[in-house]
Amino acid sequence: MRNYVIAVDLGGTNIRVALVHADGRITRRISRPSLVREGKARVIDSLLSAVEELYQENYEAPQGIGIGVAGAIDLKTGTITQSPNLPGWDDVPLQKLVKERLSFSAEVFLENDANAAALGEYWKGAGAGSTTMICLTIGTGIGGGVIVNDMVLHGADGMASELGHITVDPQGPRCNCGNTGCLEALASATAIQKSAADALRAGHRSSLKSLWNRDPDSLTAKAIADAAYDGDDPARRIYQDMGTWLGIGIATLINVFNPEKVIIGGQVSKAWELFIESMQEEISRRALRVPARRAELLPARCGDDAGLLGAAYMVFSAKETGGKELRG
Amino acid sequence: MRNYVIAVDLGGTNIRVALVHADGRITRRISRPSLVREGKARVIDSLLSAVEELYQENYEAPQGIGIGVAGAIDLKTGTITQSPNLPGWDDVPLQKLVKERLSFSAEVFLENDANAAALGEYWKGAGAGSTTMICLTIGTGIGGGVIVNDMVLHGADGMASELGHITVDPQGPRCNCGNTGCLEALASATAIQKSAADALRAGHRSSLKSLWNRDPDSLTAKAIADAAYDGDDPARRIYQDMGTWLGIGIATLINVFNPEKVIIGGQVSKAWELFIESMQEEISRRALRVPARRAELLPARCGDDAGLLGAAYMVFSAKETGGKELRG
């Protein structure tokens, strides 16, 4: 019985590889630095050697290999078309490259990391039991994944559910994507840091001031959340405002998808109590009654494993459905 | 061979019933006033008598009956849960009521009218050949329908794709839904009329002034478009601004769905040349490169028949797939 999958989470900082069972258990993990600067070949070698290590330990080939990658994927060819986190990885046919070099025979599946995280939450996390759900991963940027009728929303080029780049304020700050007022430019960790720096520069009295004076880089979203939990007013307001912007974006998504669940993950979601109230208030104000009442707002449950679980689920569900459901 | 369907478009003003063939031809139509004020029973009688009339003419039962209704539909029970255009029609099990009273045996399918219009364009209009597309119907309000992987996006309660109610300007004008700055509040015929009235009140010099003085009700979106085509500056600016708001909304939808086509129908879409430029400009500025390049922007092609064609296609495609595809 080959009832396990090798799941890979290929990010700009780390390559994480895990052995995932059909019930979602993870029984073995390997994590290594991606060393992106040493070039593509080196990264792929490193990925493959970790995969082979898990294979050797298990004597038998896995059901398949699922890879989540931070970047745009051409699903038809299994190619990374572009990746902000893997500079220079334009048009890399990773699916083929991995499959060809394996010492054993296995199908390889590729997916965008935010979609993989959504799938992970859908399979074994806060999304379990739903058929239509939205997952937002809030970190340095904001990633999005949408499940519609138990399928990942891919769009024509696998570029759908770029939920960080919906416009929530047409006059808002510039986003890395070139647009102004994207959700990501107003509600990501980066946006929170920027708001705090702006508040301090504007002379607001805050316990963050001394931290900022010592080292501006230490003014992280986490440090700002800590200050907010300690009652620091400017820090609290920053998270409240972030919740307002997030609520505007989620209200739009609720009116568009009428989802059963909206799941929020990523490092910033740990500050849940700091933004949930203003977020909910904005959703009640802006979303239509029936879909607003339907949509459960939940923190993600799989943490850093969401992407690995989703990568594994791609393989398991492809075997069940002949690949139709997820590759369609 | 029962290769025809009876399609119904039940609106607040008219009931339209048509005989639609498997190739999309419409060979017979009946249109009558809905007479909503005379009560539900009267409207349903009128709908049924038109359906029976088409049945009698054809000697044999149709493959089924497809009904598009302006309102929120519970697809599982075939119930109109709420309708802005049919006041008092809360929780009306129209599917059952029609099926029970037919003199012949036929499946009855119910769908929201904006979804039916999207399906019609997908089947026989500007969306033909695409698998993922968005359809906006711009009239008094803005209706939306989305096709994802050849299926209508329904959401948990059949309330998905309320595209008129995505927030494009959080500080914008009040919408009928209670929110502020909805696309509908900024880019519908109603919004265009309001902008013109505001411009005239503010003393802008415009050829519309005399029209307005004679009869404020004659200041329709069509009259404003006519003035714009004749070179009236305030009228032109109103349509340009409308295109900008529409572009902001569509850019968000492109980043969310990565569709092959975005189709714009409804009465306002006839003023295509007046808003297309500012709309495209805004989309280029705000949507991500790959999905923006992918999405074709097209005027709807089926006109008022979109809803009838979509209602018919529900029946034809349900027969093909055992109902799974569209009812799932």
Side-chain angles (χ1 to χ4, degrees):
Chain A
M1 280 290 292
R2 306 186 306 161
N3 56 353
Y4 80 96
V5 157
I6 295 178
V8 181
D9 181 357
L10 173 56
T13 312
N14 290 302
I15 301 173
R16 299 169 61 223
V17 180
L19 201 147
V20 184
H21 296 265
D23 60 1
R25 270 179 314 126
I26 297 179
T27 54
R28 178 83 167 85
R29 299 162 189 274
I30 296 173
S31 179
R32 10 182 105 159
S34 314
L35 303 175
V36 172
R37 285 188 204 153
E38 298 186 14
K40 273 179 290 206
R42 176 78 184 74
V43 176
I44 294 170
D45 284 351
S46 177
L47 186 162
L48 278 161
S49 81
V51 168
E52 292 291 343
E53 199 176 321
L54 290 193
Y55 166 61
Q56 299 298 341
E57 289 173 11
N58 280 274
Y59 309 111
E60 55 180 0
Q63 276 200 21
I65 295 177
I67 307 177
V69 191
I73 311 288
D74 180 336
L75 292 165
K76 289 187 198 79
T77 59
T79 301
I80 303 174
T81 53
Q82 211 188 355
S83 171
N85 300 26
L86 302 168
W89 286 56
D90 292 2
D91 299 313
V92 174
L94 188 67
Q95 188 172 355
K96 184 164 153 278
L97 290 175
V98 169
K99 195 174 155 68
E100 279 175 1
R101 290 183 51 195
L102 290 172
S103 71
F104 51 94
S105 167
E107 284 302 316
V108 178
F109 297 83
L110 211 57
E111 183 57 280
N112 164 271
D113 61 345
N115 289 347
L119 259 186
E121 290 292 337
Y122 163 81
W123 184 36
K124 289 293 167 191
S130 64
T131 60
T132 297
M133 54 154 267
I134 292 166
C135 184
L136 290 163
T137 305
I138 310 184
T140 314
I142 295 186
V146 180
I147 311 285
V148 171
N149 291 339
D150 301 300
M151 289 181 279
V152 176
L153 181 72
H154 281 128
D157 307 281
M159 288 282 290
S161 54
E162 286 285 355
L163 308 185
H165 301 287
I166 65 178
T167 300
V168 290
D169 180 13
Q171 314 294 339
R174 176 73 55 186
C175 180
N176 284 332
C177 76
N179 185 15
T180 53
C182 284
L183 183 59
E184 175 166 310
L186 287 155
S188 62
T190 316
I192 290 167
Q193 286 157 25
K194 207 176 150 298
S195 298
D198 288 349
L200 293 173
R201 251 183 242 112
H204 292 253
R205 286 182 57 182
S206 164
S207 61
L208 293 163
K209 184 87 183 177
S210 59
L211 193 73
W212 192 50
N213 284 343
R214 271 201 311 274
D215 175 12
D217 285 347
S218 64
L219 197 67
T220 60
K222 164 103 177 50
I224 300 159
D226 289 343
Y229 279 120
D230 286 344
D232 185 75
D233 269 341
R236 291 178 70 91
R237 265 199 306 278
I238 286 166
Y239 271 94
Q240 278 162 12
D241 290 349
M242 173 271 186
T244 298
W245 293 116
L246 193 56
I248 295 174
I250 290 176
T252 282
L253 294 172
I254 286 175
N255 286 349
V256 168
F257 287 106
N258 181 200
E260 292 154 271
K261 296 184 179 185
V262 178
I263 294 161
I264 303 171
Q267 50 161 132
V268 174
S269 70
K270 286 169 193 155
W272 188 257
E273 299 82 5
L274 297 175
F275 64 78
I276 180 70
E277 235 172 89
S278 56
M279 182 181 96
Q280 272 175 326
E281 198 178 299
E282 207 65 23
I283 292 171
S284 316
R285 182 178 303 162
R286 295 186 182 277
L288 296 168
R289 197 174 44 88
V290 173
R293 230 190 305 170
R294 168 71 58 177
E296 261 189 282
L297 307 168
L298 298 165
R301 270 204 220 124
C302 300
D304 291 343
D305 287 339
L308 286 170
L309 289 167
Y313 182 67
M314 275 199 289
V315 183
F316 287 124
S317 60
K319 293 286 170 185
E320 274 168 30
T321 63
K324 263 198 151 173
E325 205 143 296
L326 288 159
R327 322 308 296 174
Chain B
M1 281 289 292
R2 307 187 305 162
N3 56 353
Y4 80 95
V5 157
I6 296 178
V8 180
D9 180 357
L10 172 56
T13 312
N14 290 303
I15 301 174
R16 298 169 63 223
V17 180
L19 201 149
V20 184
H21 296 265
D23 60 1
R25 269 179 316 126
I26 296 179
T27 54
R28 177 80 168 87
R29 297 161 191 276
I30 296 174
S31 180
R32 14 183 102 161
S34 313
L35 303 176
V36 171
R37 283 187 207 154
E38 299 187 13
K40 274 178 290 206
R42 176 77 185 76
V43 175
I44 295 170
D45 284 350
S46 177
L47 187 163
L48 278 161
S49 81
V51 168
E52 291 291 343
E53 196 176 323
L54 291 193
Y55 166 62
Q56 299 298 342
E57 288 174 11
N58 279 273
Y59 308 111
E60 56 180 0
Q63 277 200 20
I65 297 179
I67 307 176
V69 190
I73 310 288
D74 181 336
L75 292 163
K76 289 187 198 82
T77 58
T79 301
I80 303 174
T81 52
Q82 211 188 353
S83 168
N85 299 28
L86 302 168
W89 286 56
D90 292 3
D91 300 314
V92 174
L94 189 67
Q95 188 172 352
K96 185 165 152 276
L97 290 176
V98 170
K99 196 175 153 66
E100 280 175 359
R101 291 185 50 194
L102 291 172
S103 70
F104 52 93
S105 166
E107 285 300 316
V108 178
F109 296 83
L110 211 58
E111 181 58 281
N112 164 272
D113 61 345
N115 288 347
L119 258 186
E121 291 291 337
Y122 163 81
W123 184 36
K124 289 291 167 191
S130 65
T131 60
T132 296
M133 55 155 266
I134 292 166
C135 184
L136 289 164
T137 305
I138 310 184
T140 313
I142 295 187
V146 180
I147 310 285
V148 170
N149 291 339
D150 301 301
M151 288 181 280
V152 176
L153 181 72
H154 280 129
D157 306 281
M159 287 283 290
S161 54
E162 285 287 353
L163 308 185
H165 300 288
I166 64 178
T167 300
V168 291
D169 181 11
Q171 314 294 336
R174 177 73 53 185
C175 180
N176 284 332
C177 76
N179 185 15
T180 54
C182 284
L183 183 58
E184 176 165 309
L186 286 154
S188 62
T190 316
I192 289 166
Q193 287 158 25
K194 206 177 153 298
S195 297
D198 288 348
L200 293 173
R201 251 183 242 109
H204 292 255
R205 288 182 53 181
S206 163
S207 61
L208 293 165
K209 185 86 183 178
S210 59
L211 193 72
W212 193 52
N213 284 343
R214 270 202 309 273
D215 175 12
D217 284 348
S218 64
L219 198 68
T220 60
K222 165 103 177 46
I224 300 159
D226 289 343
Y229 278 120
D230 286 343
D232 185 75
D233 269 341
R236 292 178 68 92
R237 266 199 306 278
I238 285 165
Y239 271 94
Q240 279 163 12
D241 290 349
M242 174 270 185
T244 299
W245 293 117
L246 193 55
I248 295 174
I250 291 177
T252 282
L253 294 173
I254 286 175
N255 286 348
V256 168
F257 287 106
N258 182 200
E260 292 154 271
K261 299 185 178 185
V262 178
I263 294 161
I264 303 171
Q267 52 161 134
V268 174
S269 71
K270 287 170 192 154
W272 188 258
E273 300 82 5
L274 297 175
F275 63 79
I276 180 70
E277 236 172 86
S278 56
M279 182 183 98
Q280 272 175 327
E281 199 178 296
E282 207 64 26
I283 292 171
S284 316
R285 181 180 302 161
R286 296 187 182 275
L288 295 168
R289 197 173 44 86
V290 173
R293 232 190 305 169
R294 168 70 58 176
E296 260 189 282
L297 307 169
L298 298 164
R301 270 205 219 121
C302 300
D304 290 342
D305 287 340
L308 286 170
L309 289 166
Y313 183 66
M314 272 198 293
V315 183
F316 288 124
S317 60
K319 294 285 170 186
E320 273 168 30
T321 63
K324 262 198 149 174
E325 205 145 297
L326 288 161
R327 322 306 300 176

mmCIF file of all heavy atoms in Angstrom, chain B residues 80-103:
data_model
loop_
_atom_site.group_PDB
_atom_site.id
_atom_site.type_symbol
_atom_site.label_atom_id
_atom_site.label_comp_id
_atom_site.label_asym_id
_atom_site.label_seq_id
_atom_site.Cartn_x
_atom_site.Cartn_y
_atom_site.Cartn_z
ATOM 1 N N ILE B 80 -37.791 30.964 -4.614
ATOM 2 C CA ILE B 80 -37.364 32.366 -4.628
ATOM 3 C C ILE B 80 -37.327 32.812 -3.165
ATOM 4 O O ILE B 80 -38.365 32.853 -2.510
ATOM 5 C CB ILE B 80 -38.359 33.257 -5.397
ATOM 6 C CG1 ILE B 80 -38.535 32.737 -6.830
ATOM 7 C CG2 ILE B 80 -37.891 34.709 -5.397
ATOM 8 C CD1 ILE B 80 -39.609 33.485 -7.609
ATOM 9 N N THR B 81 -36.151 33.110 -2.651
ATOM 10 C CA THR B 81 -36.093 33.479 -1.230
ATOM 11 C C THR B 81 -36.412 34.953 -1.039
ATOM 12 O O THR B 81 -37.004 35.347 -0.051
ATOM 13 C CB THR B 81 -34.721 33.158 -0.621
ATOM 14 O OG1 THR B 81 -33.703 33.742 -1.434
ATOM 15 C CG2 THR B 81 -34.504 31.650 -0.560
ATOM 16 N N GLN B 82 -36.032 35.772 -2.024
ATOM 17 C CA GLN B 82 -36.266 37.207 -1.914
ATOM 18 C C GLN B 82 -36.058 37.821 -3.283
ATOM 19 O O GLN B 82 -35.203 37.363 -4.041
ATOM 20 C CB GLN B 82 -35.258 37.809 -0.930
ATOM 21 C CG GLN B 82 -35.793 39.001 -0.197
ATOM 22 C CD GLN B 82 -34.705 39.687 0.619
ATOM 23 O OE1 GLN B 82 -33.593 39.202 0.727
ATOM 24 N NE2 GLN B 82 -35.024 40.830 1.170
ATOM 25 N N SER B 83 -36.846 38.829 -3.613
ATOM 26 C CA SER B 83 -36.671 39.477 -4.907
ATOM 27 C C SER B 83 -36.968 40.959 -4.803
ATOM 28 O O SER B 83 -38.048 41.352 -4.368
ATOM 29 C CB SER B 83 -37.605 38.849 -5.943
ATOM 30 O OG SER B 83 -37.622 39.645 -7.107
ATOM 31 N N PRO B 84 -36.004 41.789 -5.197
ATOM 32 C CA PRO B 84 -36.262 43.233 -5.176
ATOM 33 C C PRO B 84 -37.319 43.631 -6.214
ATOM 34 O O PRO B 84 -38.054 44.586 -6.007
ATOM 35 C CB PRO B 84 -34.897 43.843 -5.516
ATOM 36 C CG PRO B 84 -34.115 42.756 -6.173
ATOM 37 C CD PRO B 84 -34.661 41.458 -5.676
ATOM 38 N N ASN B 85 -37.430 42.876 -7.305
ATOM 39 C CA ASN B 85 -38.346 43.245 -8.388
ATOM 40 C C ASN B 85 -39.734 42.627 -8.242
ATOM 41 O O ASN B 85 -40.660 42.991 -8.948
ATOM 42 C CB ASN B 85 -37.787 42.809 -9.740
ATOM 43 C CG ASN B 85 -36.464 43.466 -10.037
ATOM 44 O OD1 ASN B 85 -35.721 43.807 -9.130
ATOM 45 N ND2 ASN B 85 -36.177 43.667 -11.305
ATOM 46 N N LEU B 86 -39.851 41.648 -7.377
ATOM 47 C CA LEU B 86 -41.144 41.003 -7.142
ATOM 48 C C LEU B 86 -41.466 41.148 -5.657
ATOM 49 O O LEU B 86 -41.283 40.222 -4.871
ATOM 50 C CB LEU B 86 -41.079 39.518 -7.528
ATOM 51 C CG LEU B 86 -40.682 39.190 -8.979
ATOM 52 C CD1 LEU B 86 -40.382 37.706 -9.136
ATOM 53 C CD2 LEU B 86 -41.764 39.611 -9.964
ATOM 54 N N PRO B 87 -41.940 42.317 -5.276
ATOM 55 C CA PRO B 87 -42.145 42.583 -3.850
ATOM 56 C C PRO B 87 -43.144 41.598 -3.256
ATOM 57 O O PRO B 87 -44.168 41.309 -3.870
ATOM 58 C CB PRO B 87 -42.704 44.005 -3.808
ATOM 59 C CG PRO B 87 -42.559 44.562 -5.191
ATOM 60 C CD PRO B 87 -42.351 43.432 -6.132
ATOM 61 N N GLY B 88 -42.807 41.070 -2.085
ATOM 62 C CA GLY B 88 -43.698 40.132 -1.414
ATOM 63 C C GLY B 88 -43.443 38.677 -1.794
ATOM 64 O O GLY B 88 -44.055 37.785 -1.225
ATOM 65 N N TRP B 89 -42.545 38.448 -2.759
ATOM 66 C CA TRP B 89 -42.262 37.073 -3.167
ATOM 67 C C TRP B 89 -41.175 36.465 -2.288
ATOM 68 O O TRP B 89 -40.179 35.946 -2.799
ATOM 69 C CB TRP B 89 -41.819 37.034 -4.635
ATOM 70 C CG TRP B 89 -42.938 37.244 -5.603
ATOM 71 C CD1 TRP B 89 -43.785 38.304 -5.651
ATOM 72 C CD2 TRP B 89 -43.316 36.368 -6.679
ATOM 73 N NE1 TRP B 89 -44.676 38.156 -6.691
ATOM 74 C CE2 TRP B 89 -44.409 36.970 -7.341
ATOM 75 C CE3 TRP B 89 -42.839 35.139 -7.136
ATOM 76 C CZ2 TRP B 89 -45.029 36.390 -8.440
ATOM 77 C CZ3 TRP B 89 -43.455 34.561 -8.232
ATOM 78 C CH2 TRP B 89 -44.548 35.179 -8.882
ATOM 79 N N ASP B 90 -41.333 36.489 -1.005
ATOM 80 C CA ASP B 90 -40.342 35.873 -0.121
ATOM 81 C C ASP B 90 -40.705 34.403 0.053
ATOM 82 O O ASP B 90 -41.854 34.079 0.373
ATOM 83 C CB ASP B 90 -40.322 36.558 1.250
ATOM 84 C CG ASP B 90 -39.791 37.974 1.155
ATOM 85 O OD1 ASP B 90 -39.510 38.417 0.024
ATOM 86 O OD2 ASP B 90 -39.678 38.636 2.207
ATOM 87 N N ASP B 91 -39.713 33.538 -0.161
ATOM 88 C CA ASP B 91 -39.898 32.102 0.056
ATOM 89 C C ASP B 91 -41.043 31.508 -0.774
ATOM 90 O O ASP B 91 -41.916 30.813 -0.257
ATOM 91 C CB ASP B 91 -40.101 31.815 1.551
ATOM 92 C CG ASP B 91 -38.896 32.280 2.352
ATOM 93 O OD1 ASP B 91 -37.763 31.995 1.928
ATOM 94 O OD2 ASP B 91 -39.083 32.951 3.381
ATOM 95 N N VAL B 92 -41.043 31.804 -2.046
ATOM 96 C CA VAL B 92 -42.029 31.225 -2.963
ATOM 97 C C VAL B 92 -41.399 30.019 -3.678
ATOM 98 O O VAL B 92 -40.433 30.174 -4.414
ATOM 99 C CB VAL B 92 -42.494 32.268 -4.006
ATOM 100 C CG1 VAL B 92 -43.407 31.624 -5.044
ATOM 101 C CG2 VAL B 92 -43.200 33.430 -3.314
ATOM 102 N N PRO B 93 -41.937 28.817 -3.457
ATOM 103 C CA PRO B 93 -41.363 27.608 -4.078
ATOM 104 C C PRO B 93 -41.798 27.488 -5.536
ATOM 105 O O PRO B 93 -42.553 26.583 -5.889
ATOM 106 C CB PRO B 93 -41.928 26.480 -3.212
ATOM 107 C CG PRO B 93 -43.227 27.015 -2.690
ATOM 108 C CD PRO B 93 -43.089 28.505 -2.594
ATOM 109 N N LEU B 94 -41.326 28.401 -6.373
ATOM 110 C CA LEU B 94 -41.832 28.531 -7.745
ATOM 111 C C LEU B 94 -41.638 27.259 -8.565
ATOM 112 O O LEU B 94 -42.515 26.868 -9.338
ATOM 113 C CB LEU B 94 -41.148 29.714 -8.447
ATOM 114 C CG LEU B 94 -41.748 30.066 -9.808
ATOM 115 C CD1 LEU B 94 -43.167 30.602 -9.662
ATOM 116 C CD2 LEU B 94 -40.888 31.088 -10.553
ATOM 117 N N GLN B 95 -40.492 26.600 -8.359
ATOM 118 C CA GLN B 95 -40.201 25.389 -9.129
ATOM 119 C C GLN B 95 -41.308 24.343 -8.930
ATOM 120 O O GLN B 95 -41.856 23.808 -9.885
ATOM 121 C CB GLN B 95 -38.845 24.841 -8.670
ATOM 122 C CG GLN B 95 -38.310 23.702 -9.497
ATOM 123 C CD GLN B 95 -36.880 23.365 -9.084
ATOM 124 O OE1 GLN B 95 -36.256 24.066 -8.294
ATOM 125 N NE2 GLN B 95 -36.346 22.286 -9.626
ATOM 126 N N LYS B 96 -41.649 24.112 -7.678
ATOM 127 C CA LYS B 96 -42.687 23.146 -7.312
ATOM 128 C C LYS B 96 -44.062 23.615 -7.805
ATOM 129 O O LYS B 96 -44.828 22.844 -8.400
ATOM 130 C CB LYS B 96 -42.681 22.997 -5.792
ATOM 131 C CG LYS B 96 -43.604 21.952 -5.214
ATOM 132 C CD LYS B 96 -43.231 21.662 -3.743
ATOM 133 C CE LYS B 96 -44.431 21.208 -2.938
ATOM 134 N NZ LYS B 96 -45.267 22.325 -2.410
ATOM 135 N N LEU B 97 -44.364 24.877 -7.582
ATOM 136 C CA LEU B 97 -45.674 25.407 -7.975
ATOM 137 C C LEU B 97 -45.916 25.249 -9.468
ATOM 138 O O LEU B 97 -47.018 24.895 -9.894
ATOM 139 C CB LEU B 97 -45.775 26.899 -7.597
ATOM 140 C CG LEU B 97 -45.853 27.220 -6.104
ATOM 141 C CD1 LEU B 97 -45.840 28.727 -5.868
ATOM 142 C CD2 LEU B 97 -47.130 26.607 -5.518
ATOM 143 N N VAL B 98 -44.862 25.507 -10.268
ATOM 144 C CA VAL B 98 -45.018 25.385 -11.717
ATOM 145 C C VAL B 98 -45.136 23.918 -12.112
ATOM 146 O O VAL B 98 -46.027 23.527 -12.857
ATOM 147 C CB VAL B 98 -43.847 26.074 -12.453
ATOM 148 C CG1 VAL B 98 -43.864 25.744 -13.946
ATOM 149 C CG2 VAL B 98 -43.899 27.586 -12.237
ATOM 150 N N LYS B 99 -44.226 23.109 -11.584
ATOM 151 C CA LYS B 99 -44.192 21.684 -11.947
ATOM 152 C C LYS B 99 -45.536 21.002 -11.657
ATOM 153 O O LYS B 99 -46.049 20.249 -12.479
ATOM 154 C CB LYS B 99 -43.056 20.994 -11.179
ATOM 155 C CG LYS B 99 -42.669 19.625 -11.737
ATOM 156 C CD LYS B 99 -41.447 19.091 -10.981
ATOM 157 C CE LYS B 99 -41.405 17.582 -10.993
ATOM 158 N NZ LYS B 99 -41.201 16.985 -12.329
ATOM 159 N N GLU B 100 -46.100 21.293 -10.489
ATOM 160 C CA GLU B 100 -47.351 20.662 -10.076
ATOM 161 C C GLU B 100 -48.525 21.018 -10.972
ATOM 162 O O GLU B 100 -49.440 20.222 -11.167
ATOM 163 C CB GLU B 100 -47.702 21.080 -8.640
ATOM 164 C CG GLU B 100 -46.931 20.313 -7.593
ATOM 165 C CD GLU B 100 -47.210 20.844 -6.188
ATOM 166 O OE1 GLU B 100 -47.986 21.824 -6.045
ATOM 167 O OE2 GLU B 100 -46.637 20.274 -5.246
ATOM 168 N N ARG B 101 -48.487 22.230 -11.495
ATOM 169 C CA ARG B 101 -49.670 22.696 -12.227
ATOM 170 C C ARG B 101 -49.583 22.513 -13.731
ATOM 171 O O ARG B 101 -50.520 22.846 -14.457
ATOM 172 C CB ARG B 101 -49.936 24.155 -11.867
ATOM 173 C CG ARG B 101 -50.410 24.283 -10.411
ATOM 174 C CD ARG B 101 -50.788 25.692 -10.076
ATOM 175 N NE ARG B 101 -51.700 26.277 -11.044
ATOM 176 C CZ ARG B 101 -51.957 27.583 -11.104
ATOM 177 N NH1 ARG B 101 -51.359 28.407 -10.260
ATOM 178 N NH2 ARG B 101 -52.784 28.064 -12.010
ATOM 179 N N LEU B 102 -48.454 22.001 -14.224
ATOM 180 C CA LEU B 102 -48.336 21.763 -15.663
ATOM 181 C C LEU B 102 -49.304 20.667 -16.094
ATOM 182 O O LEU B 102 -49.528 19.708 -15.347
ATOM 183 C CB LEU B 102 -46.914 21.324 -16.021
ATOM 184 C CG LEU B 102 -45.803 22.364 -15.898
ATOM 185 C CD1 LEU B 102 -44.446 21.697 -16.095
ATOM 186 C CD2 LEU B 102 -46.014 23.486 -16.904
ATOM 187 N N SER B 103 -49.821 20.778 -17.305
ATOM 188 C CA SER B 103 -50.716 19.740 -17.821
ATOM 189 C C SER B 103 -49.912 18.583 -18.407
ATOM 190 O O SER B 103 -50.459 17.587 -18.833
ATOM 191 C CB SER B 103 -51.617 20.325 -18.904
ATOM 192 O OG SER B 103 -50.849 20.619 -20.058
#
